[in-house]
Amino acid sequence: EWDLNGDEIYEIKENSPVYNYAGWAEIGDHTAYLRVTDDRGYTGTDAATITVIPLFTVELQPENDRTRTSVGGSISYTLELSNMQPVADLFTIETTGVDKSWITLNKSVYLRSGESVGLPLMVMVPSGARGGDFALGVSAYSSNLRIREESVSPLNVSDEPTILDLTPVDGA
């Protein structure tokens, strides 16, 4: 019997379990406890460390760490998508946080096991748009796993044209 969260309740009562446990949302090491009972009712317990790894990752990176543009301007990002599953998968890409008409991006990507790709994402803000601070989100949905992972990056759109985007060095 297996206790997966240390609450002394043995959730799994199988000899050779293969189990997807949603309680371990945190990547890293977790402790699972095993209890074995023999024919005479004697029990023994042991603990095992189980390492949870992501099966795929999504990361949105602004080009040159620049997250500011103006109405009528554009800005580039790269969407890094990695498939660590033991099989290939088809990922469906969606964006949130800004009008979808502003975005140029592939909507689906097929990745083999162990493959990673950097997808260009262009945000083109039309002249009639309103400026503001946005949270640009990009998510990838795994066809195999039927789960979604998301990455978010800030996007600042100024109502005034940006001629130079100067960032002070060392707070100067």
Side-chain angles (χ1 to χ4, degrees):
E1 302 169 305
W2 290 92
D3 172 11
L4 299 178
N5 58 9
D7 64 358
E8 298 184 11
I9 297 172
Y10 289 82
E11 295 93 358
I12 302 173
K13 301 178 186 322
E14 296 178 28
N15 289 337
S16 301
V18 174
Y19 195 68
N20 290 326
Y21 181 59
W24 291 332
E26 297 280 328
I27 303 302
D29 291 337
H30 301 272
T31 303
Y33 300 90
L34 172 66
R35 178 174 64 192
V36 179
T37 305
D38 68 14
D39 294 342
R40 294 183 288 180
Y42 293 108
T43 61
T45 59
D46 201 356
T49 299
I50 297 174
T51 301
V52 176
I53 60 170
L55 293 174
F56 71 97
T57 58
V58 177
E59 188 171 350
L60 183 61
Q61 290 293 322
E63 187 175 294
N64 300 320
D65 291 326
R66 200 184 104 201
T67 60
R68 180 181 172 84
T69 191
S70 60
V71 170
S74 64
I75 190 166
S76 298
Y77 291 81
T78 300
L79 172 63
E80 296 288 338
L81 180 61
S82 299
N83 179 18
M84 285 85 76
Q85 301 172 67
V87 296
D89 199 352
L90 177 66
F91 297 92
T92 304
I93 311 297
E94 293 184 2
T95 58
T96 59
V98 298
D99 190 308
K100 293 192 185 325
S101 68
W102 296 8
I103 305 289
T104 303
L105 174 70
N106 289 337
K107 300 297 181 190
S108 63
V109 178
Y110 179 83
L111 293 178
R112 293 183 301 261
S113 175
E115 188 175 18
S116 296
V117 66
L119 302 172
L121 182 148
M122 176 69 74
V123 178
M124 295 180 291
V125 184
S127 296
R130 295 186 70 170
D133 291 319
F134 301 92
L136 175 61
V138 177
S139 66
Y141 176 80
S142 162
S143 298
N144 290 345
L145 301 170
R146 296 188 175 131
I147 59 173
R148 181 176 309 281
E149 291 290 331
E150 183 178 31
S151 181
V152 177
S153 179
L155 171 62
N156 176 269
V157 178
S158 171
D159 287 320
E160 301 297 321
T162 302
I163 297 172
L164 290 176
D165 187 6
L166 300 175
T167 305
V169 177
D170 296 330

